[in-house]
């Protein structure tokens, strides 16, 4: 934990502001992964503002923490967070997904602050295993984090990497699963059930914590107790709500990559503004 | 045998890879081998014994092999991801495309027992698609060294390349193509093994040697053949293509790969766009269920032999 100065209240405000911006840039671009970006944004918020030793100043340092977003399609959440961290001017996001923009619809190293190019699913964890092994080889202190979607877990490469992570005792590695229980076709349970995830990861030699992934304090608590067990990789099963923060988007499959209409956009922003006043008055 | 072919002390390119990697690792602890239960077939058992902290074993899991290699490279390691070429470039093609090439992590992907080296083990174990698949991927150098000299140089260059490299070779001892190995070796710069103006044979990997044998046979019959070792399939040495297109009356390409999408089509594509209009033949493995046999028997079956190549030369020159 590097940034302890920020309060939970400030973090909660940031989450709402990030949600507003996610919707703003998706609406402008008329493209994006709305539901998943809203479900994972609290995780990114706590990672970048509390947990990760990553900043524009140290981004070229070999000792920085590494974050690789395996669920690359929720790039809007990452772009908004990185802009807030000062990696680039937020106004750059006005070009997102436009002709010749470097802000494409999946994470790319062309954007300052992005660690690896992702987008095809099942790639983040193997890369992070390599990064975590490198840290152990060099006896470096940095830690490695990756965010996976629950829908990408049937990709076999995740489980190949899970085996290597425990073989190499990578307690400097933390995977976070954005478990919103939905994917493009339906519920993860009906598309390809991967439950019970805790038992699966435990049996693969991981230390597991299951938390509410849209709860700032629960996220802070979980990250502050890493590694969950010395000599084991850690996984946080973050139970989230797809579309979190906008009532008509919550838990609705159609918002996987739905783009709000003008009226829906206004409604969503109003709801988020109201959430901000509630936090302010809390 | 003529004086150009030095048959002394030749080893499999695979062995040279292993020896070179050990030599490099001795002085550089960032040299890392990643294996997928391929330590034995990659001749890396001595490497693993000498440098236990510089080898990562992921088990039979090629996608993870390449992803882990990419992550290591992203953190400054000089990584050799070693697996049979057939699995490495098919099973893990998406990881090569995204995690190595697109993410610009300069891993050396080492395809062992490439082409039809596995012989009678059959199509599952042959890699006749790898040049074609990788040629269409941006930001990766494709190299098939022909002899021990080229292999050693290629491994040295790959270790410090800031561009990803795919290197493939077989497990059969390969004679030196020249008795004096004083050429400058660089990726993208072909080696001229022998010069003649009647026809040029552009070969790659383990097909260069039979091409040289054919050239020597034909010389005795008064046909002068250039033999080029086009060890780098991408980027292609177009300077040498320009040169031989002017000088020679015909061109043959040879590769241990499908005739579709490999060296031959790469050369043809370049030459035709330069208005090249002389006899041209692509030799390789035809698009069919590959015949059963050892590497040598398969080569012979498809004419990748001293006799077969010589016959093809005469056919093309109408002699
Ligand atoms: Mg999901």
């Amino acid at each position: 934990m590097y940034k302890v100065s920020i309060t939970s209240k400030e973090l909660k405000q940031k989450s709402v502001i990030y949600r507003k911006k996610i919707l703003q840039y998706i609406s402008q671009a008329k493209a994006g992964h709305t539901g998943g970006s809203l479900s994972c944004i609290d995780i990114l918020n706590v990672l970048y503002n509390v947990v990760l030793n990553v900043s524009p100043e140290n981004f070229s340092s070999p000792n920085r923490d590494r974050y690789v977003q395996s669920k690359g399609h929720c790039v809007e959440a990452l772009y908004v967070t990185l802009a807030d961290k000062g990696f680039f001017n937020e106004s750059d996001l006005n070009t997102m997904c436009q002709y010749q923009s470097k802000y494409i619809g999946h994470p790319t190293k062309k954007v300052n602050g992005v660690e690896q190019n992702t987008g095809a699913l099942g790639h983040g964890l193997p890369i992070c295993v390599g990064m975590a092994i490198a840290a152990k080889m060099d006896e470096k202190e940095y830690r490695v984090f990756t965010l996976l979607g629950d829908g990408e877990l049937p990709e076999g490469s995740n489980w190949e990497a899970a085996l290597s992570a425990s073989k190499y005792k990578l307690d400097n590695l933390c995977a976070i699963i954005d478990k919103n229980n939905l994917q493009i076709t339906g519920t993860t349970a009906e598309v390809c059930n991967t439950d019970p995830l805790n038992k699966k990861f435990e049996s693969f030699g991981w230390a597991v914590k299951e938390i509410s992934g849209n709860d700032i304090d629960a996220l802070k608590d979980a990250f502050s107790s890493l590694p969950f067990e010395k000599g084991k990789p850690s996984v946080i099963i973050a139970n989230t709500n797809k579309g979190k923060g906008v009532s008509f988007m919550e838990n609705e499959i159609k918002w996987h990559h739905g783009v709000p209409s003008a009226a829906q956009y206004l409604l969503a922003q109003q709801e988020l503004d109201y959430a901000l006043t509630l936090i302010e008055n809390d | 045998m003529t004086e150009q072919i030095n048959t002394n002390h030749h080893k499999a390119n695979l062995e040279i890879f292993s020896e070179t990697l050990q030599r490099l690792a001795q002085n550089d602890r960032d040299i890392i081998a990643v294996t997928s239960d391929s330590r034995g077939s990659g001749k890396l058992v001595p490497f693993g014994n000498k440098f236990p902290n510089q080898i990562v074993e992921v088990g039979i899991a090629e996608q993870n092999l390449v992803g882990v290699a990419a992550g290591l490279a992203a953190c400054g390691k000089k990584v050799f991801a070693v697996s049979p070429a057939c699995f490495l470039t098919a099973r893990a093609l998406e990881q090569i495309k995204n995690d190595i090439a697109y993410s610009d992590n300069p891993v050396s992907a080492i395809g062992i027992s490439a082409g039809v080296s596995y012989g009678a083990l059959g199509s599952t174990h042959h890699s006749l698609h790898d040049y074609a698949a990788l040629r269409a991927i941006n930001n990766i150098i494709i190299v098939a060294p022909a002899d021990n000299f080229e292999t050693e140089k290629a491994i040295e260059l790959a270790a410090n390349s800031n561009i990803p490299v795919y290197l493939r070779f077989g497990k059969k001892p390969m004679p030196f193509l020249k008795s004096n190995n004083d050429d400058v070796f660089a990726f993208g710069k072909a080696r001229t093994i022998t010069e003649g103006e009647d026809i040029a044979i552009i070969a790659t990997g383990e097909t260069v040697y039979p091409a040289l044998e054919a050239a020597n046979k034909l010389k005795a019959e008064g046909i002068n053949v250039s033999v080029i070792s086009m060890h780098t399939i991408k980027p292609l040495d177009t300077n040498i293509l320009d040169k031989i297109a002017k000088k020679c009356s015909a061109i043959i390409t040879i590769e241990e790969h499908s005739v579709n999408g490999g060296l031959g089509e790469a050369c043809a594509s370049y030459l035709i766009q330069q208005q090249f209009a002389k006899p041209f033949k692509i030799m390789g493995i035809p698009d069919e269920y590959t015949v059963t046999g050892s590497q040598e028997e398969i080569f012979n079956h498809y004419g990748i032999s001293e006799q077969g190549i010589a016959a093809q030369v005469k056919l093309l020159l109408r002699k």
Side-chain angles (χ1 to χ4, degrees), chain A residues 71 149-151 178-183 188 242 256:
Chain A
K71 54 174 298 179
D150 51 0
D178 177 18
K179 191 171 187 302
N180 57 30
N181 298 316
L182 294 180
Q183 58 192 108
T188 51
K242 201 161 179 172
H256 175 82

Side-chain angles (χ1 to χ4, degrees), chain A residues 64 66 104 106-109 116-118 120-123 125-135 137-138 142 155-157 160-161 164 167-168, chain B residues 29-30 32 39 53-72 74-75 77 91 94-95 98-99 102-105:
Chain A
R64 72 189 182 281
R66 306 301 201 276
I104 61 170
H106 288 101
T108 162
K109 283 158 75 174
Q116 288 297 305
N117 297 352
T118 51
L121 295 170
H123 286 246
L125 195 54
I127 292 169
C128 286
V129 167
M131 290 175 157
I133 292 174
M137 284 173 165
D138 293 339
Y142 69 82
E155 289 284 9
S157 49
E160 296 178 6
S164 293
K167 173 186 168 177
Y168 284 99
Chain B
R29 52 191 291 272
D30 283 336
I32 308 292
R39 193 179 304 215
N53 300 323
Q54 287 169 249
I55 189 162
V56 176
E57 173 61 74
V58 300
I60 303 173
E62 290 80 12
Q63 299 179 63
N64 191 38
L65 171 93
V66 176
V68 167
L72 284 160
C75 294
K77 298 296 176 191
R91 188 64 159 261
E94 192 182 71
Q95 279 74 14
N98 293 341
D99 305 345
Y102 175 51
S103 273
D104 201 20
N105 289 314

Side-chain angles (χ1 to χ4, degrees), chain B:
Chain B
M1 293 290 158
T2 76
E3 58 178 6
Q4 272 165 324
I5 299 172
N6 176 357
T7 51
N8 296 329
H9 310 300
H10 56 259
K11 295 177 177 174
N13 291 341
L14 181 60
E15 279 181 72
I16 300 299
F17 156 65
S18 167
E19 290 172 13
T20 308
L21 203 62
Q22 287 178 62
R23 178 165 54 73
L24 296 174
Q26 197 85 52
N27 303 311
D28 189 348
R29 52 191 291 272
D30 283 336
I31 297 276
I32 308 292
V34 190
T35 51
S36 52
D37 198 23
S38 45
R39 193 179 304 215
S41 39
K43 300 269 182 227
L44 289 174
V45 174
F47 181 98
N49 292 338
K50 272 191 220 165
F51 311 104
N53 300 323
Q54 287 169 249
I55 189 162
V56 176
E57 173 61 74
V58 300
I60 303 173
E62 290 80 12
Q63 299 179 63
N64 191 38
L65 171 93
V66 176
V68 167
L72 284 160
C75 294
K77 298 296 176 191
K78 299 170 184 175
V79 189
F80 288 78
V82 186
S83 186
C86 52
F87 310 131
L88 182 63
T89 61
R91 188 64 159 261
L93 182 61
E94 192 182 71
Q95 279 74 14
I96 293 176
K97 169 182 169 250
N98 293 341
D99 305 345
I100 294 183
Y102 175 51
S103 273
D104 201 20
N105 289 314
V107 169
S108 302
I110 305 295
I112 57 175
S113 302
V116 294
S117 293
Y118 279 123
L121 295 188
S123 190
T124 54
H125 284 59
H126 296 165
S127 56
L128 298 173
H129 65 282
D130 47 351
Y131 302 158
L134 298 178
R135 273 184 65 220
I137 289 174
N138 172 241
N139 195 38
I140 188 161
I141 297 169
I142 308 169
V143 183
D147 65 1
N148 293 178
F149 164 75
E150 291 185 7
T151 304
E152 182 175 3
K153 295 294 172 196
I155 296 299
E156 288 172 0
L157 287 181
N160 292 300
S161 172
N162 53 13
I163 302 170
V165 183
Y166 171 64
L167 266 156
R168 64 110 106 166
F169 36 71
K171 50 185 181 172
K172 185 180 137 193
M174 294 308 298
F176 284 103
L177 298 171
K178 288 185 172 182
S179 50
N180 56 327
N181 287 314
D182 51 6
D183 322 44
V184 175
F185 184 90
F187 293 150
K189 192 176 183 312
R191 280 173 87 208
T192 301
I193 308 303
T194 184
E195 289 196 76
E197 53 290 338
D198 291 328
I199 188 167
I201 301 177
I202 304 166
T204 192
E206 306 199 351
T207 67
V208 184
Y209 183 67
L212 184 57
E213 286 183 309
N216 287 331
K217 176 182 156 76
L218 289 163
K219 192 166 194 172
E221 300 175 30
I223 300 173
N224 295 316
V225 181
S226 284
V227 175
I228 310 294
S229 173
M230 191 70 90
H231 48 73
T232 308
I233 288 119
K234 190 184 174 186
L236 202 61
D237 184 350
T238 53
N239 288 331
I240 208 159
L241 290 180
D242 288 336
K243 213 174 99 187
I244 59 173
K246 278 203 196 85
K247 190 177 80 173
C248 302
S249 321
I251 294 176
I252 291 177
T253 66
I254 317 177
E255 60 203 295
E256 188 178 357
H257 185 274
S258 166
V259 291
N260 294 336
L263 172 73
E265 287 193 356
C267 293
S269 167
Y270 175 76
L271 289 167
I272 202 165
Q273 292 179 75
Q274 306 299 314
Q275 284 38 261
F276 177 78
K278 294 176 184 173
F280 185 90
K281 172 72 183 174
I282 296 174
M283 296 183 74
I285 309 297
D287 186 15
E288 66 178 36
Y289 196 103
T290 307
V291 71
T292 304
S294 66
Q295 183 194 37
E296 195 180 348
E297 286 166 334
I298 295 172
F299 273 19
N300 286 336
H301 183 83
Y302 295 114
I304 305 172
S305 61
E306 181 182 322
Q307 282 77 10
I309 295 165
Q312 191 57 248
V313 165
K314 289 180 186 169
L315 199 68
L316 212 60
L317 295 177
R318 300 178 193 285
K319 289 199 175 174

